[in-house]
Amino acid sequence: MSFVLALDQGTTSSRAILFDHAGLIHAVAQREFAQLFPQPGWVEHDPMEIWASQSGVMAEVLARGAIAPTDVAAIGITNQRETTVLWERATGRPVANAIVWQDRRTAPLCDALRASGHQATFARKTGLVLDAYFSGTKLKWLLDNVPDARSRAQRGELAFGTVDSWLIWNLSGGTHVTDPSNASRTLLFDIHRGEWDDELLALLDVPREVLPDVVASSGVCAQAALAGATVPIAGIAGDQQAALFGQACLEPGLAKNTYGTGCFLLLNTGRQAVASKNNLLATVAWRRGATTDYALEGSVFIAGAVVQWLRDGLKIIRSAAEVEALAASVPDNGGVYLVPAFAGLGAPHWDAYARGAIFGLTRGATGGHLARAALEAIAFQSAEVLHAMETDAGLTLSELRVDGGATMNNLLMQFQADLLGVPVVRPRVAETTALGAAYLAGLAVGYWRDDRDVTANWQVGRRFEPAMAPDHAAQLKANWDKAVARAKGWD
Ligand SMILES: Nc1ncnc2c1ncn2[C@@H]1O[C@H](COP(=O)(O)OP(=O)(O)OP(=O)(O)O)[C@@H](O)[C@H]1O
Ligand SMILES: [Mg+2]
């Protein structure tokens, strides 16, 4: 019996999961790590802690699954995207903390680039909007602010990577690679040519010497040392693209929404990179062989994270799972709306200066209303990006495939179906991010034969049918729009 090992390095935790031929979970190990908030709007991770937690769960999952490292056919890597690491090639030591995708410190830099008229160039080549979310301005910030960093980078002494690159460097003892799904989130990569772009590098003052080589998303790119054995690293994809693959959305027109820290709705657009007219992103889904597939993406920064805030910030629940019972303690939101713009607003608003706000409080408002408003905010934001996507792609989704930690919440899933007026479908295996990385790796080494194996493995767990009157849903959405308008442009 052999397995594929997926390493899912997320924003809040590192996970290692062993999958079998049926795409079912054989064993899981997971470890949370520290979120660092050195200033308002800044979010950092310690790259050494990322690596320590990831290598720790990698060893642990073998023990839990009671298998030998030689039973691992391949390793697939998937990761929080855009988070930026800069390290010394000679020692492998980071020169600073990782700047996390949620970090807003480079918003003024994005404003300046926009004011100089560069937005169109970035959009045309990268499919992205100029926002602090993406790696490019974070890397520029490190090169500008870490002493000697730019000159050292020019001399080839430093390596830049998103978290996939950082993990592979450590797993392999110095292989410096990334894949197009991760590269397409940097503002430095031309998604149409599939290469780093000199004009963009010049605009952000990034020397080419720091960049990793771009390899296929599915294919052996390095050998990892795993508990004394050598195992091929054969798949790489950013977490959202991996989830698209794990949901078997392998054909144009198929879409999924992941409810994790944020919400990320991705629609497979096949060989076409569709330029959005509604503030969505065009991005690389994956490259296999010489073929690149693209996706249209709506990124919502705060989704499940608002539940973490109820737990850790307000302390009105003890665990994320408790939010469902608290929200169910009231029949409706009682007129309370919570806009979780804690890190600005992503798609379709792209307002780095929006901040979180609660509207409609009255003397009757309770923790139950707040919990309900928090869950509803996740669904409202998802509905906004879904509508933008339908307009862009000129199609109407007949159902929505969902995954991620917050999809365990049945009240949220039912509200989502009610709001959208289409069924919401949760698969049997909700760990689709890790599963997608496993598939990309397993397909490369012949563990799975072809895409038909992936499609055949996908199974429905539960379907939520819409039950709310459409005019009631429209009224709730109108209230939400009013709340969002008032949260914008605060900072
Ligand atoms: N029952 C629940 N109801 C609502 N939200 C939940 C529930 N259980 C977990 N969550 C939220 O789901 C998120 C965790 O889901 P998941 O592990 O998929 O996130 P993630 O974004 O993949 O994490 P990471 O960024 O570390 O990869 C947390 O933000 C948590 O608050
Ligand atoms: Mg995740």
Side-chain angles (χ1 to χ4, degrees), residues 41 51 63 88 103 121 158 293 324 400 411 415 418 427 438 464 480:
W51 167 239
E88 284 181 353
D103 190 292
T121 306
L158 302 183
D293 285 318
E324 186 165 358
L400 182 65
L411 187 148
F415 185 74
D418 287 346
F464 297 85
W480 166 257

Side-chain angles (χ1 to χ4, degrees), residues 169-488:
W169 173 280
N170 282 290
L171 285 163
S172 67
T175 301
H176 190 208
V177 295
T178 189
D179 91 301
S181 73
N182 278 294
S184 72
R185 316 295 296 188
T186 60
L187 287 173
L188 303 170
F189 186 77
D190 183 329
I191 60 171
H192 310 286
R193 290 189 300 116
E195 289 172 5
W196 301 119
D197 186 272
D198 285 320
E199 183 187 8
L200 302 177
L201 290 169
L203 283 172
L204 289 170
D205 203 2
V206 170
R208 213 171 231 281
E209 290 74 16
V210 293
L211 299 175
D213 290 333
V214 182
V215 299
S217 312
S218 184
V220 176
C221 65
Q223 300 290 330
L226 179 65
T230 302
V231 179
I233 301 172
I236 315 173
D239 54 6
Q240 301 310 323
Q241 288 94 332
L244 189 67
F245 205 95
Q247 285 270 32
C249 296
L250 306 183
E251 300 288 330
L254 294 176
K256 67 85 197 175
N257 193 21
T258 299
Y259 299 71
T261 300
C263 261
F264 299 88
L265 177 62
L266 272 76
L267 170 74
N268 186 323
T269 60
R271 306 289 136 82
Q272 296 306 118
V274 175
S276 175
K277 294 187 185 67
N278 295 283
N279 292 321
L280 303 178
L281 310 172
T283 205
V284 173
W286 41 74
R287 185 198 290 168
R288 295 194 284 168
T291 306
T292 300
D293 285 318
Y294 296 90
L296 198 58
E297 172 174 325
S299 336
V300 170
F301 297 150
I302 302 288
V306 71
V307 175
Q308 288 175 327
W309 177 72
L310 295 179
R311 185 192 64 185
D312 306 336
L314 289 191
K315 299 187 165 59
I316 62 169
I317 48 175
R318 272 163 307 175
S319 70
E322 278 183 18
V323 74
E324 186 165 358
L326 185 56
S329 71
V330 290
D332 56 39
N333 67 16
V336 177
Y337 290 80
L338 194 170
V339 183
F342 302 158
L345 288 169
H349 307 286
W350 298 109
D351 183 344
Y353 303 102
R355 287 295 177 269
I358 302 169
F359 297 98
L361 292 174
T362 62
R363 284 293 299 273
T366 65
H369 293 114
L370 214 51
R372 203 165 185 114
L375 293 179
E376 291 186 356
I378 298 173
F380 283 126
Q381 295 183 100
S382 294
E384 283 180 334
V385 292
L386 188 91
H387 291 133
M389 191 163 279
E390 289 184 329
T391 312
D392 260 349
L395 56 80
T396 309
L397 287 190
S398 55
E399 63 176 39
L400 182 65
R401 289 187 179 185
V402 301
D403 55 74
T407 62
M408 289 305 107
N409 192 312
N410 292 331
L411 187 148
L412 169 61
M413 292 299 100
Q414 184 57 51
F415 185 74
Q416 186 72 84
D418 287 346
L419 203 59
L420 296 174
V422 299
V424 165
V425 185
R426 188 169 67 195
R428 192 167 153 211
V429 176
E431 292 280 4
T432 53
T433 297
L435 181 57
Y439 281 143
L440 288 165
L443 285 166
V445 299
Y447 184 83
W448 288 288
R449 270 167 314 168
D450 56 35
D451 289 0
R452 281 169 300 183
D453 286 347
V454 174
T455 305
N457 280 347
W458 190 89
Q459 286 178 33
V460 175
R462 180 163 168 190
R463 242 176 115 81
F464 297 85
E465 298 289 344
M468 187 183 282
D471 54 341
H472 184 46
Q475 182 56 53
L476 296 177
K477 273 187 273 191
N479 293 344
W480 166 257
D481 290 344
K482 205 159 82 176
V484 168
R486 292 184 186 189
K488 284 185 174 178

Side-chain angles (χ1 to χ4, degrees), residues 104-115:
R104 306 275 90 201
R105 82 183 65 175
T106 59
L109 188 52
C110 293
D111 294 342
L113 286 164
R114 217 175 293 112

